[in-house]
Every structure is written in structure tokens, then in C-alpha cells.
Amino acid sequence: MGQQEKVATSLTAAVGEEISASLTAVDAELARRYPGDPGTRQPVHTVYVPADAFTAGTIRAWGDQALAALDEHAPDAAAFAGALGIPDALAGPVHDRVRAKLEREPVEDLRIDFEDGYGPRPDAEEDEAAARAARLVSQAYADGTAAPYMGIRMKCMEAAVRDRGIRTTDIFLTGLLRAGGLPDGLVLTLPKVTYPEQVTAFVRLLEAFEETHGLPAGRLGFEIQIETSQSILAADGTAAVARMIDAAKGRATGLHYGTFDYSACVGVSPAYQASDHPAADHAKAVMQVAAAGTGVRVCDGSTNVLPVGPTSQVHEAWRLHHGLTRRALARAYYQGWDMHPGHLPTRYAAVYAFYREGLAPAASRLAAYVAKAGGDVMDEPATAKALSGYLLRGIDCGALDADEVTGLTGLSRADLDGFASPRRADLTVTVPR
């Protein structure tokens, strides 16, 4: 034992108390603006279906069409892996899990579209479609055929369509309440947001609905769709998207990048409009930084190249979609849009390969961190948080099994939740059926 050090201080307790008092407002502001990850499951994709095309059988039909595409164009694990460049060691596990996913839960998040995919219609027609959407969504949650997340994309807050968007939202939400209540997986998407004031206006709409029906304040959240250059950089040079998150008053759940509207807005020629264009990368990077720590999640865009036609053409489209999805995952965009049932096999193949190939190293690093065992990487608490989040996302989407993660890390689901986010530990997380 060495000599015990003498500890001496120079400052009185009053100094620390004064400093803490001076930062009280900042502490409260940090807690309000940056609460961290919400701790809920994030879907790996969002599927958009025009309101007039949506039926009670849409989700199952998408799954069946995706399975048929696999049967026709990649009938076994080797063919599927060969078409996408998946390593041999992952070919079987990925193929088997993709097929199981398409049979069990082909769509994780579905948006019934009343905007671009639906277009302008006579008011009576859209009224009926909105009421019908509410009835079908309620029935789907009641009979167990719903996707984990479902909702609508209404028309935007621009003058030409504002009243129509407000009315459709009202009809849909009112229909849900009358049919039994608002489902836990309800999601609303506000498109073509250009000014924070449009977000403020939508917040007021939701507040009025909650007040009318005696709902808890803040019950209704929504996603903000980023489709214009002004939503990234305002006229005064500030990041408008950060101001939009603030204007949502805690109701914003996601920022969705609109590949083609945004590309056209900044002048990208149609042949080059894609989610990996430099203009897209810039927009999503700004979105990512603005959303960091706020609990608002960033969603990547889509590809409009559909996997249809002869097998060679389908494989080419699959490789494109698979590559874009893997690229997005590496950049921490864990959700994207899928426009066609044929995109589902490659969405899940990319997602499952991403998590399965990283399972062993992520689990090893987390276990070493917990055991303080050291190793060839020195990880910090922030990295342990990221490793836990990675494993949890893999479990939630079906890429990983909870038991195998526990076997490799020695950590339970609750342990992982605690590392990933304090808010997770207090929630029951929805897992795939």
C-alpha cells in the first residue's frame, strides 16, 4: 500500500451551487430538446400504397408477390446470394429468414397515400376513401393482419391543398376513434414541408383534434417529409429542418427523405435522381445532424427502378436496390422506402446480411466491454450504447434471434435495452410476430 494522499480543495460549496444554478435552464433545455432515442422499434422500411388501391388484403398480397418473385427469379439460396453478391456463409441463413419474413410479416410500416400516389380527386371521392382507410386499418389491427405501423400521408399544408389535407386527416382520425380507438402503431406523414410554420400549423390541427376528443396532449405524432431545398437550408442560411423539429413540439417522430421531389427541386436531371446522389447525401447528412439526440429518426428515400421483366432485368434492379439499402445502413439510415413488392426480398436480404455479418464482432465487443476484459478495441460507453442498439435493431426486424444474442453476449433483452437507452428499459418493445 502506498502513502495515502491528502486531499485539499480551495473552493467553497457555494461556488458549485452557483454554477449549477446558472445552468438550470440549460439542463432543462437539453432534456427537452435532446431526450435521446425513444426506445421503440424502428421499421426497416415504409411501403406507400395509393388510397384507392389499398384493400384489406394489400399486405398479404405484397408478401405473396414478393415470394413469387423469389420463386421465379431466385428459387434457392445459392441463386439469391449469387444475384446479390451475398457471401456463401450467409446465403442460407439470409434466404431462409427472408422467406420466413415474407410469409410472417412482409410489411413493417405501411402508409396509405392521399398525396402524390393518389392525386387530386373530387371531394366526395376522397372523403369516402379516407373513411374507408380508417375502417380497414381498424379492422386490420383488430384481426391481427396489420403491419406493426400503419397510417396515412395526407396532402400538405400548402394553400392549394391545405383544406383537403386537413379534412382527410380529420376524417381518418375520426373514423379510427369511432371504430375502436387510435392504434398504437398509428403514423401520420406530413409531406412537402418547406417552412417551420407549416409544421406549427399541423401541430395545431392535432392539438385541436385531441382537445375535441379528450385525448392526452401529445397523443398524435407525425413524420416530416423532406422534399424541398428550403426544408434543408432556409433563406436566412439556417438549417430549416432543425427548426421544423423544434416547431413540432415533441410530436415529430421521423424525417423522411423524398428522393425524387428533392432531386428535382435542386435541378438534378431525372437520369441521375437517386438516393446516392451527392445532393441526396448532403440533405440526409443535414437531417441526420439536426435529428441527432432528439428522438426523431431519419428515413432514407427509394429507388424507382422496379424489379420487373425477365430474370436478368430483375436481378439488375435487385442489385441496385440491395446496394442502395446496404449503403444507407452503413450511413446509419436504418429505414427506407419500398415502392414495389419486388423490393421486399432485397430490402430484407440487405438488412439481414448487415446484422448477421456483424453479429459476432458486435456481440464480442459488447461482452468484452461489460466484462471490462479489454481486447484489441477500446470501447467507450457511447460505443456500448451503439452496439446494443445495433443488436436490438437486428432482433426487432427478425435478422437475429434474442436467444442467440444472449448466448453470445450474456445479456438479456432488458440488459440490452438498458445499455441502448434509458427510455427503452421502461418500454415493452414490439417484436415481429
Side-chain angles (χ1 to χ4, degrees):
M1 294 289 291
Q3 181 179 357
Q4 186 173 0
E5 296 291 341
K6 295 181 179 180
V7 177
T9 63
S10 302
L11 304 177
T12 65
V15 175
E17 292 169 359
E18 178 188 348
I19 290 172
S20 292
S22 72
L23 291 174
T24 299
V26 170
D27 293 341
E29 187 74 348
L30 279 170
R32 181 184 73 82
R33 289 182 181 272
Y34 303 105
D37 187 87
T40 54
R41 173 184 178 184
Q42 181 180 12
V44 302
H45 69 170
T46 301
V47 164
Y48 279 77
V49 178
D52 57 332
F54 178 70
T55 71
T58 292
I59 293 175
R60 185 63 263 152
W62 273 60
D64 290 343
Q65 290 176 57
L67 286 166
L70 270 179
D71 290 338
E72 181 177 357
H73 303 293
D76 54 40
F80 193 43
L84 301 180
I86 295 173
D88 291 345
L90 289 175
V94 168
H95 177 265
D96 292 348
R97 286 176 183 267
V98 168
R99 289 198 67 93
K101 179 74 167 182
L102 295 175
E103 291 167 354
R104 181 188 72 248
E105 186 185 74
V107 174
E108 292 196 357
D109 184 28
L110 185 142
R111 210 69 71 248
I112 303 168
D113 192 14
F114 286 90
E115 203 229 358
D116 284 350
Y118 185 71
R121 305 288 180 102
D123 282 338
E125 183 178 343
E126 184 159 341
D127 283 354
E128 184 176 356
R132 177 172 165 273
R135 175 175 57 81
L136 291 175
V137 168
S138 293
Q139 288 177 353
Y141 278 105
D143 64 22
T145 61
Y149 298 94
M150 295 182 74
I152 65 168
R153 177 171 71 167
M154 68 292 296
K155 291 178 172 65
C156 68
M157 287 287 109
E158 293 178 355
V161 294
R162 182 183 305 138
D163 290 344
R164 182 63 261 180
I166 291 172
R167 182 171 175 83
T168 295
T169 304
D170 186 8
I171 292 170
F172 178 70
L173 294 176
T174 301
L176 289 177
L177 281 180
R178 290 185 174 180
L182 304 179
D184 290 339
L186 174 65
V187 187
L188 305 174
T189 303
L190 179 65
K192 292 184 174 59
V193 181
T194 305
Y195 283 83
E197 290 80 1
Q198 294 167 326
V199 173
T200 299
F202 197 65
V203 167
R204 179 59 196 129
L205 171 63
L206 299 183
E207 287 175 342
F209 190 88
E210 290 167 350
E211 292 163 2
T212 299
H213 292 281
L215 298 172
R219 169 63 181 85
L220 294 166
F222 62 99
E223 302 164 335
I224 301 170
Q225 201 159 356
I226 304 301
E227 301 175 90
T228 66
S229 61
Q230 296 91 341
S231 59
I232 295 297
L233 188 68
D236 62 2
T238 60
V241 65
R243 292 165 57 198
M244 290 173 184
I245 292 173
D246 191 50
K249 296 182 178 180
R251 294 177 185 265
T253 59
L255 302 174
H256 281 227
Y257 176 68
T259 304
F260 305 104
D261 282 282
Y262 188 90
S263 297
C265 182
V266 297
V268 179
S269 298
Y272 299 97
Q273 293 178 357
S275 61
D276 59 352
H277 190 280
D281 284 341
H282 171 261
K284 287 179 286 187
V286 174
M287 292 161 60
Q288 189 174 47
V289 173
T294 65
V296 178
R297 289 157 166 171
V298 176
C299 176
D300 196 10
S302 61
T303 175
N304 59 1
V305 179
L306 305 184
V308 296
T311 295
S312 59
Q313 187 172 320
V314 169
H315 283 187
E316 185 176 354
W318 272 356
R319 283 189 289 271
L320 172 65
H321 184 246
H322 182 267
L324 290 173
T325 303
R326 281 302 305 253
R327 183 180 189 273
L329 290 168
R331 285 158 174 75
Y333 308 134
Y334 299 113
Q335 184 177 355
W337 293 15
D338 288 327
M339 299 180 70
H340 187 274
H343 286 143
L344 299 185
T346 39
R347 170 67 61 182
Y348 291 122
V351 170
Y352 287 3
F354 176 76
Y355 288 113
R356 292 212 64 80
E357 69 188 19
L359 169 59
S364 176
R365 287 177 65 177
L366 186 57
Y369 173 84
V370 173
K372 295 180 169 51
D376 59 354
V377 179
M378 183 178 292
D379 285 326
E380 297 185 356
T383 305
K385 177 179 179 179
L387 290 167
S388 297
Y390 173 88
L391 296 171
L392 286 166
R393 283 190 294 271
I395 293 170
D396 286 345
C397 71
L400 310 177
D401 296 327
D403 288 346
E404 68 177 332
V405 173
T406 297
L408 291 170
T409 62
L411 301 173
S412 68
R413 172 74 195 230
D415 295 329
L416 293 173
D417 286 335
F419 273 111
S421 168
R423 298 169 75 186
R424 272 187 175 268
D426 297 328
L427 294 172
T428 300
V429 179
T430 303
V431 296
R433 293 187 294 273

